[in-house]
Amino acid sequence: MSLIPLTAPISREKLLSLRAGDRVSLSGVIYTARDAAHGRLCAALEAGQPLPVDLCNQTIFYAGPTPALEGKPVGAIGPTTSSRMDAYTPQLLGYGVNALIGKGGRNEAVCKALMEYGAVYFAAIGGCAAYMSACIEKCDVVAYDDLGTESIKRLVVKDLPLTVACDAHGGNAYEDGMKAYLAARE
């Protein structure tokens, strides 16, 4: 199976063409944000305040890169557990975020919001943080610098390997994989 090339920001049309289980290679601009940043973003939205960075039609990577080694844009960078962002995700998708990158399954509210807003959740391979850092060409802190590794960063990525875990049509690679596994055991 070949990788589907994607360029971020990803168009809604392209996102709608993806299906759970598709393997992609992502290049372009994405943003990191973890728990603390998500809390601040949603608090700003609830207060009617503008966000410190426009995330409309953007991709959020649930990651906090380690400090860069000399001559490199980042140190190790890998996905964090996505379920920690579940409470915030429907609100950010409603704001206009259109793609998410992390690891692990999502709750029912997130899956429904992905369908409602035509968004996609990509799974990145956990445990490959050193490899994934080779896909980062540039990293700049753009918001919440006081959060250190959890600050929001603008990344320029090239050929970041991902799998569509949950698509905009209700497809869920985690559920499909479990069903296939159980069926094979019968």
Side-chain angles (χ1 to χ4, degrees):
M1 174 191 271
S2 63
L3 297 177
I4 298 168
L6 295 177
T7 301
I10 310 165
S11 72
R12 291 279 177 192
E13 178 182 27
K14 191 65 172 176
L15 289 169
L16 292 172
S17 75
L18 299 171
R19 296 292 184 267
D22 286 348
R23 293 176 38 213
V24 306
S25 174
L26 182 64
S27 298
V29 174
I30 64 175
Y31 293 86
T32 67
R34 289 180 46 147
D35 316 44
H38 273 71
R40 288 188 186 180
L41 291 168
C42 287
L45 290 172
E46 289 168 8
Q49 299 170 345
L51 297 185
V53 59
D54 185 8
L55 296 173
C56 218
N57 298 313
Q58 299 297 328
T59 299
I60 293 179
F61 185 11
Y62 302 145
T66 63
L69 300 173
E70 190 173 331
K72 303 286 185 183
V74 296
I77 183 169
T80 195
T81 304
S82 300
S83 61
R84 296 193 343 236
M85 270 52 76
D86 282 357
Y88 307 110
T89 300
Q91 185 177 9
L92 289 172
L93 292 172
Y95 165 80
V97 170
N98 68 5
L100 312 161
I101 302 169
K103 69 177 180 184
R106 306 309 298 267
N107 70 23
E108 186 177 339
V110 170
C111 293
K112 285 182 179 180
L114 290 168
M115 290 188 296
E116 180 179 351
Y117 298 110
V120 169
Y121 167 56
F122 296 105
I125 299 170
C128 293
Y131 169 76
M132 293 183 85
S133 70
C135 299
I136 311 301
E137 296 186 328
K138 188 172 182 191
C139 176
D140 296 302
V141 174
V142 293
Y144 309 140
D145 189 36
D146 62 303
L147 294 178
T149 59
E150 289 204 30
S151 62
I152 296 177
K153 295 168 184 68
R154 180 185 184 274
L155 301 178
V156 176
V157 300
K158 183 170 173 59
D159 299 327
L160 185 66
L162 305 168
T163 300
V164 177
C166 300
D167 65 34
H169 309 284
N172 186 320
Y174 289 107
E175 291 177 3
D176 295 346
M178 182 58 72
K179 288 176 188 173
Y181 170 77
L182 293 173
R185 290 185 53 189
E186 292 178 359

